[in-house]
Amino acid sequence: MPLEDASAEFHDFFERHYVELARLAHLLTGDSDAADDLAADAFVALWHRWDRVQRADRPLAYARGVVSNMARNSIRRAVRERRRVALFWTRSTDRAEDPDVAAVVDVRAALGRLPFRKRACVVLRHAFDLSEKDTALALGISVGTVKSQTSKGLAELERILGRRATEELVGRRS
């Protein structure tokens, strides 16, 4: 395919999906500025592999996987950096969690408390309304793992936010 055709297709893909992928990055990282950067970096990576993206059965799922992997790596880098800083910090940086935060914690803060995989499964399944199969494809994990991680993530959210708030968040499912 000529470069100008590929460029036009990529531009169209970008226009259709940038907002969604930036939103996914924001929900996974909890940081809107980092999410915009992450989404932009993901599109750079997608452009470099555009021939592979075009051949994918589900290009958007492929793109979601790129964003999810980049978000996971970003979170890991931040955690490693915090640990390095803590090693050189003379005062204790540990903060006690207030066990009664459920009434105060908003949804993003509650999602931020979930481990990455649980958070990603809950976000993709409920905020993006993806099927278990599409979620598994986006994250590169099995459907069974999506089911268990989503269930465990929702249980943790229920513990943090309360049953009523969690049901409102994800909607009542039969």
Side-chain angles (χ1 to χ4, degrees), residues 112-133:
R113 291 177 63 178
L114 296 178
F116 179 81
R117 187 176 283 178
K118 288 178 188 171
R119 180 173 58 241
C121 287
V122 169
V123 166
L124 289 171
R125 291 281 294 126
H126 296 287
F128 283 83
D129 203 27
L130 292 185
S131 68
E132 290 165 342
K133 183 179 178 182

Side-chain angles (χ1 to χ4, degrees), residues 114 118 122 147-157:
L114 296 178
K118 288 178 188 171
V122 169
K147 290 179 182 182
S148 69
Q149 293 295 292
T150 302
S151 176
K152 290 175 183 177
L154 289 175
E156 287 185 39
L157 286 177

Side-chain angles (χ1 to χ4, degrees), residues 19-105:
V19 171
E20 175 185 344
L21 294 175
R23 181 173 164 237
L24 171 61
H26 183 248
L27 289 170
L28 293 176
T29 64
D31 181 348
S32 59
D33 293 331
D36 286 336
D37 291 343
L38 197 143
D41 290 345
F43 273 99
V44 169
L46 290 168
W47 172 247
H48 287 289
R49 295 184 219 125
W50 187 241
D51 58 328
R52 191 179 310 163
V53 176
Q54 289 174 303
R55 289 193 310 266
D57 289 337
R58 296 179 179 186
L60 182 56
Y62 185 99
R64 287 181 184 132
V66 169
V67 169
S68 296
N69 288 332
M70 291 178 102
R72 178 179 31 243
N73 291 337
S74 173
I75 290 166
R76 285 179 179 162
R77 274 191 306 277
V79 167
R80 282 193 304 269
E81 183 62 25
R82 279 194 300 271
R83 286 181 184 154
R84 278 189 220 110
V85 168
L87 286 174
F88 296 104
W89 193 251
T90 57
R91 296 181 298 162
S92 173
T93 59
D94 294 345
R95 294 183 183 164
E97 293 287 331
D98 183 0
D100 192 31
V101 293
V104 183
V105 176

